[in-house]
Amino acid sequence: MLQKPRGTRDFLPAEMAQRRSIERRMRDVAASFGYGEVVTPMFEEQELFTVKSGEGIIGEMYAFEDKGGRKIALRPEITAAVVRAYVNEAQVAPKPLRWFYFAECFRYERPQKGRYRQFWQFGCELIGADSAAADAEVIALASDLLSCSGVRFVLKIGHLSPMKHMLAGLDAVEQKKVMAALDKRDMELLENTLASIGHADLYDPLVRLITAETLDEVFAVTGDIPEKARIEETFSYLKAQNIPFVQNFGIARGLDYYTGMVFEAFADNLGAENQILGGGVYRLAHLFGGKDVPSCGFAIGFDRVMVSLGEIVPTAAPVVAVIATAETRGPAYAAAAAFRSAGITAVMDLMDRSFGAQLSSALKSGASYAVLIGANEAAAGTVTLKNLAAASQKEMPLADAVAEVINGTC
């Protein structure tokens, strides 16, 4: 028996209903902030990702040559593709651009809980605004998107300028070693790394920075760095919107990618693979042949959100089972069409079962109502509407049955 590829999943109707329910909530939140959806190709030139992340990423991608000899890759993430689309299609559009996306990505990595080779991201990019207000809007949107899903999370916010200020005396290789130790939150490794490169004096200030709980504590370590006012302004805007967050100036990932504010979110029930969101301020357009433009964005690991949520029960719309005999199929088709035209799901028997078997099947399927059309109803031009949960029923014209299901009065 053929199996699905490793690291992929099949989603059956019940699970897809759960996923679509959360997706719709997120779409509504993004739209409420004025963000419009963009869609980019599922595959791109490999260079789009290597110019951003380096040649090392090729081993993590589904990369291949097409029949024309072009080096192509299934997208491992979507930010680069969105910025490429901006450079190709929208550089002259009025700024700022507020875009969101929801799509699958592909990475060749070891599958585990919450980590798959085919996975989905919901993300937003704000292009063309360079201000504390822009940073605060994107973070507020990220927080609202996670909140609307119902996932329990902690949002951590920092800024890279204090860390870059403290590491300014180190070369690129030394900075990478220090950031690797910080990313692991291994204080012993950090102390040993700093000693090995001759900068043991940085250990105490770095620990004070990454454990600082207030901005005053941060600037007591760094002094009045140029970005101080913008950091304070951004934090004040977030507090004004009652966005709950934890200050974290020890965020180490992306030092060579992000340029300012950075933020991450973590679910409280996923164990080691608990990061469900990451984002920050960046500049990419110039790498893809466009003019330099400030941007701020984030991506949500949609699959990890769903794993964290566990089984959820989406709000169920009513389902009507139209039950008829062989002789009354004509009126039954008309009844089903009337319900569907009103936006109500209507299903009919396709297996020539008896009246009683059809009713039993409707009960087992979870239908909300049964519309019974026997010889008497067909002759009278009526239907019998049966509430399957309440086990109550009454005969009425078809239009009244549709209205009662819509209003939930039966």
Side-chain angles (χ1 to χ4, degrees), residues 302-380:
F302 187 79
D303 301 277
R304 292 189 187 179
V305 168
M306 296 307 300
V307 171
S308 178
L309 287 172
E311 185 175 354
I312 57 174
V313 180
T315 302
V319 175
V320 172
V322 180
I323 297 173
T325 66
E327 294 74 25
T328 60
R329 272 196 171 271
Y333 280 122
F339 280 102
R340 291 167 186 158
S341 294
I344 300 166
T345 299
V347 296
M348 290 182 59
D349 176 63
L350 305 176
M351 300 173 66
D352 295 325
R353 287 179 285 201
S354 68
F355 215 78
Q358 291 180 54
L359 185 57
S360 177
S361 176
L363 287 165
K364 291 177 182 177
S365 71
S368 315
Y369 299 91
V371 168
L372 313 177
I373 305 178
N376 291 338
E377 286 90 355

Side-chain angles (χ1 to χ4, degrees), residues 129-363:
D130 187 11
S131 66
D135 298 350
E137 175 177 291
V138 173
I139 295 171
L141 172 55
S143 178
D144 281 5
L145 284 169
L146 291 180
S147 295
C148 83
S149 76
V151 69
R152 301 191 308 272
F153 67 96
V154 175
L155 179 63
K156 298 183 179 181
I157 303 174
H159 198 286
L160 292 183
S161 58
M163 185 71 69
K164 289 182 175 181
H165 174 78
M166 295 188 68
L167 301 182
L170 281 60
D171 63 32
V173 174
E174 292 171 336
Q175 283 191 12
K176 194 169 185 178
K177 291 179 179 179
V178 172
M179 297 305 288
L182 286 168
D183 190 34
K184 294 178 180 178
R185 279 294 192 270
D186 189 329
M187 295 300 102
E188 183 178 355
L189 176 60
L190 175 62
E191 187 172 18
N192 292 337
T193 299
L194 290 169
S196 70
I197 62 177
H199 286 278
D201 58 306
L202 285 177
Y203 178 75
D204 287 338
L206 280 173
V207 171
R208 289 169 58 200
L209 175 65
I210 65 178
T211 58
E213 296 182 356
T214 67
L215 290 182
D216 287 342
E217 292 176 9
V218 170
F219 299 129
V221 178
T222 64
D224 288 339
I225 56 177
E227 296 84 357
K228 177 183 177 183
R230 177 161 174 168
I231 295 172
E232 292 175 331
E233 188 178 0
T234 302
F235 276 41
S236 71
Y237 292 156
L238 294 172
K239 290 175 182 177
Q241 298 175 75
N242 295 315
I243 303 297
F245 67 92
V246 175
Q247 173 182 301
N248 182 6
F249 283 83
I251 296 176
R253 278 170 287 189
L255 188 66
D256 55 351
Y257 169 59
Y258 292 116
T259 59
M261 192 68 67
V262 287
F263 51 97
E264 300 172 337
F266 300 86
D268 65 3
N269 61 348
L270 292 183
E273 296 291 338
N274 65 340
Q275 184 175 350
I276 55 175
L277 176 148
V281 174
Y282 64 89
R283 291 175 180 266
L284 279 182
H286 64 287
L287 297 179
F288 306 147
K291 295 181 180 179
D292 185 41
V293 64
S295 305
C296 185
F298 60 86
I300 294 171
F302 187 79
D303 301 277
R304 292 189 187 179
V305 168
M306 296 307 300
V307 171
S308 178
L309 287 172
E311 185 175 354
I312 57 174
V313 180
T315 302
V319 175
V320 172
V322 180
I323 297 173
T325 66
E327 294 74 25
T328 60
R329 272 196 171 271
Y333 280 122
F339 280 102
R340 291 167 186 158
S341 294
I344 300 166
T345 299
V347 296
M348 290 182 59
D349 176 63
L350 305 176
M351 300 173 66
D352 295 325
R353 287 179 285 201
S354 68
F355 215 78
Q358 291 180 54
L359 185 57
S360 177
S361 176
L363 287 165

Side-chain angles (χ1 to χ4, degrees), residues 381-401:
T382 60
V383 301
T384 295
L385 180 64
K386 183 179 184 69
N387 184 319
L388 294 177
S392 60
Q393 66 182 51
K394 55 183 174 180
E395 189 175 348
M396 64 188 73
L398 174 60
D400 290 352

Side-chain angles (χ1 to χ4, degrees), residues 56-103:
I57 196 175
I58 292 178
E60 302 173 10
M61 294 195 300
Y62 280 87
F64 55 93
E65 284 192 7
D66 67 9
K67 292 181 180 180
R70 291 172 287 266
K71 292 185 176 181
I72 300 296
L74 298 181
R75 60 190 176 209
E77 53 91 21
I78 307 180
T79 297
V82 169
V83 177
R84 191 269 310 146
Y86 160 75
V87 171
N88 290 169
E89 314 288 351
Q91 285 196 83
V92 298
K95 306 296 187 298
L97 296 174
R98 292 179 169 94
W99 287 354
F100 81 87
Y101 55 82
F102 179 74

